[in-house]
């Protein structure tokens, strides 16, 4: 399973950059302050709008090269929320530890 | 009697004017686009995070290791131990879908979305007036625009042909980033490289039908007369349709009306109590009513089914004298039928479906005050829910199921995609 840590805390985004995707100039977060750390984003994955009732929410999937961050910007309240962090430890290991079963072993048995 | 024009039809030698665009492993590619650390890794997109859930989309890397769409995650892990399971995120896919639709509509008003990740642009009538370039150049431009407007990881297949069927075949020739054209010059050459089951719409059973008539390859299929296909192979008008389809004549440009609206649910408990089953059924009724109102429809018929753990199937259906579209009415009528089910076994799957659909009379004031009050209440609740989010006001009888039953990504139609995204 993927290793996703749900944070759901308000954060400060202290620097932005602008990029033209298609016809419009859009604003993206560049540096985020969270938990006493400064995280500089190196790449934007995807920005997509969504709604909570009538409130417009912009969801940003960002990465700093070590982990993927999911940020939400509430266009009504003008706040940034860090929703989750998915780190590099992808793969079935963490899941296997939980269930006490390794598909790697099973795969190697089939290979034999 | 076979129609004469069908029997005599040659291969369509018109200029290819239909473009089929197909995003590869759409959900998985969008997830890889959104999360750069997933790029180049085998991922499987699932509707739930459980071991035996179904993989609804697999990335190109996972497919290369044998993972197929529809496989259980458990089986996928055996084939590909490093597969990463990611849960579906409908608003993300909806955003990409909207961008794709906008790109396609900028070339022709005649755009038909076949599903969430594929659509057809019909250029007939627009070529000389608007698009002065070749369709091949437009195909490459669409690929580039998708990268510019969504992200650099996005890729799509483009197929160009005289009809929709051949355009879809062309789009599947060089995955994941191909652009192919099928016309009367290369039709036979391309069909020679394919198997019967490579053709869209020909699976094992149709293949067996064709084989029984001595047709073993797509080329033989192409050379078979329409009468043989109609009378011996398919034994229906489908034979003529296949004859035309393979020759590049358009037969798939039908628009089908909505015939039924419904929902099904595989129960999350092995031994559910009757109360919990009823709560889930009520939730399905509520969402079915919301879907009906979203489409502006009302139903007269109600169908309820239960599939039991032993594999037995029970259903009850009834036509009512009056139409219905409110939550309460759908629930009341479904409960009426559902309470007649046998109680000998534990149910595994339940479903509710409304049929005999007609345009809703929600705007028509009734002579009966009770009916008016019901309609006005439904309208008020719908307005509040659209303002503050789905299920802000909801039925108490389905409350238990709210956090458990989730609307998931559909495989095919995009009819309720907006509604699904609002709920997500």
């Amino acid at each position: 399973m993927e290793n996703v840590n749900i944070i759901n805390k308000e954060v400060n985004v202290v620097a932005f950059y602008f990029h033209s995707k298609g016809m419009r100039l859009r604003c993206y977060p560049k540096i985020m302050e969270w938990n006493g750390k400064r995280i500089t984003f190196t790449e934007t994955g995807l920005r997509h709008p969504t709604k909570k009732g009538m409130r417009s929410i912009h969801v940003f999937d960002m990465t700093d090269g070590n982990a993927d961050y999911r940020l939400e910007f509430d266009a009504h309240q003008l706040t940034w929320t860090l929703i989750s962090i998915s780190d590099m430890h992808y793969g079935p290991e963490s899941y296997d530890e939980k269930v006490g079963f390794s598909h790697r072993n099973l795969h190697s048995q089939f290979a034999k | 009697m076979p129609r004469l024009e069908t029997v005599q039809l040659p291969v369509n030698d018109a200029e290819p004017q239909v473009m089929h665009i197909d995003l590869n492993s759409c959900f998985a590619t969008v997830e890889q686009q959104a999360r750069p650390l997933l790029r180049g890794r085998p991922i499987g997109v699932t509707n739930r995070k459980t071991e035996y859930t179904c993989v609804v989309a697999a990335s190109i890397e996972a497919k290369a290791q044998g993972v197929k769409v529809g496989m259980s995650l458990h089986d996928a892990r055996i084939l590909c131990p490093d597969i990463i399971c990611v849960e579906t995120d409908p608003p993300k896919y909806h955003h990409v879908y909207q961008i794709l639709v906008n790109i396609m509509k900028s070339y022709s008003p005649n755009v038909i979305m076949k599903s969430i990740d594929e659509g057809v642009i019909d250029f007939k009538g627009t070529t000389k007036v608007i698009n002065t370039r070749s369709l091949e150049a437009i195909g490459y431009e669409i690929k580039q625009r998708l990268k510019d407007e969504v992200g650099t990881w996005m890729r799509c297949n483009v197929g160009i042909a005289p009809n929709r069927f051949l355009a879809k075949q062309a789009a599947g020739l060089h995955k994941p980033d191909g652009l192919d054209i099928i016309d009367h010059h290369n039709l036979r050459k391309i069909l020679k490289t394919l198997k019967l089951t490579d053709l869209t719409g020909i699976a094992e059973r149709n293949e067996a039908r064709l084989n029984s008539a001595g047709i073993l390859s797509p080329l033989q299929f192409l050379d078979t007369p329409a009468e043989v296909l109609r009378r011996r192979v398919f034994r229906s008008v489908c034979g003529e349709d296949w004859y035309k389809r393979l020759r590049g004549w358009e037969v798939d440009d039908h628009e089908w009306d909505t015939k039924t609206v419904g929902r099904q649910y595989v129960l999350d408990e092995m031994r559910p109590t009757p109360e919990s089953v009823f709560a889930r059924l009520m939730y399905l009724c509520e969402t079915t009513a919301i879907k009906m109102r979203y489409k502006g429809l009302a139903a007269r018929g109600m169908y309820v089914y239960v599939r039991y753990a032993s594999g037995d199937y029970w259903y009850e259906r009834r036509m009512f004298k009056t139409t219905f579209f409110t939550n309460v009415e759908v629930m009341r009528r479904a409960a009426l039928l559902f309470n007649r089910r046998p109680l000998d076994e534990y149910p595994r799957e339940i479903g509710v479906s409304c049929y005999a659909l007609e345009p809703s009379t929600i705007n028509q004031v009734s002579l009966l005050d009770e009916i008016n009050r019901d309609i006005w209440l439904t309208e008020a609740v719908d307005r509040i829910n659209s303002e503050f989010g789905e299920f802000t006001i909801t039925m108490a009888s389905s409350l238990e199921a709210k956090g458990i039953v989730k609307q998931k990504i559909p495989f095919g139609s995009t009819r309720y995609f907006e509604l699904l995204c609002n709920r997500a």
Side-chain angles (χ1 to χ4, degrees), chain B residues 315-329:
Chain B
Y315 74 91
E316 185 91 32
R317 61 199 293 176
R318 186 187 285 184
M319 282 288 277
F320 294 90
K321 285 181 181 172
T322 54
T323 58
F324 52 91
F325 51 84
T326 61
N327 294 1
V328 177
E329 280 300 303

Side-chain angles (χ1 to χ4, degrees), chain B residues 152-168:
Chain B
T152 50
W153 195 255
M154 295 305 295
R155 289 173 292 186
C156 68
N157 289 313
V158 178
I160 301 164
N163 70 352
R164 295 181 193 191
F165 168 75
L166 290 179
K168 186 169 170 62

Side-chain angles (χ1 to χ4, degrees), chain A residues 13-22 24-31 41 43-48 59-62 71 80, chain B residues 95 148-150:
Chain A
V13 173
V14 294
F16 301 89
Y17 77 96
F18 295 87
H19 179 61
S20 172
K21 279 204 169 183
R24 294 180 187 166
L25 195 65
R26 294 189 195 278
C27 172
Y28 293 89
K30 182 68 186 165
I31 300 173
F41 299 122
E43 194 175 347
T44 305
L46 192 73
R47 181 208 69 90
H48 68 274
V59 183
F60 293 84
D61 287 286
M62 312 294 297
L71 281 161
W80 288 90
Chain B
H95 174 64
D148 292 342
E149 294 181 31
V150 182

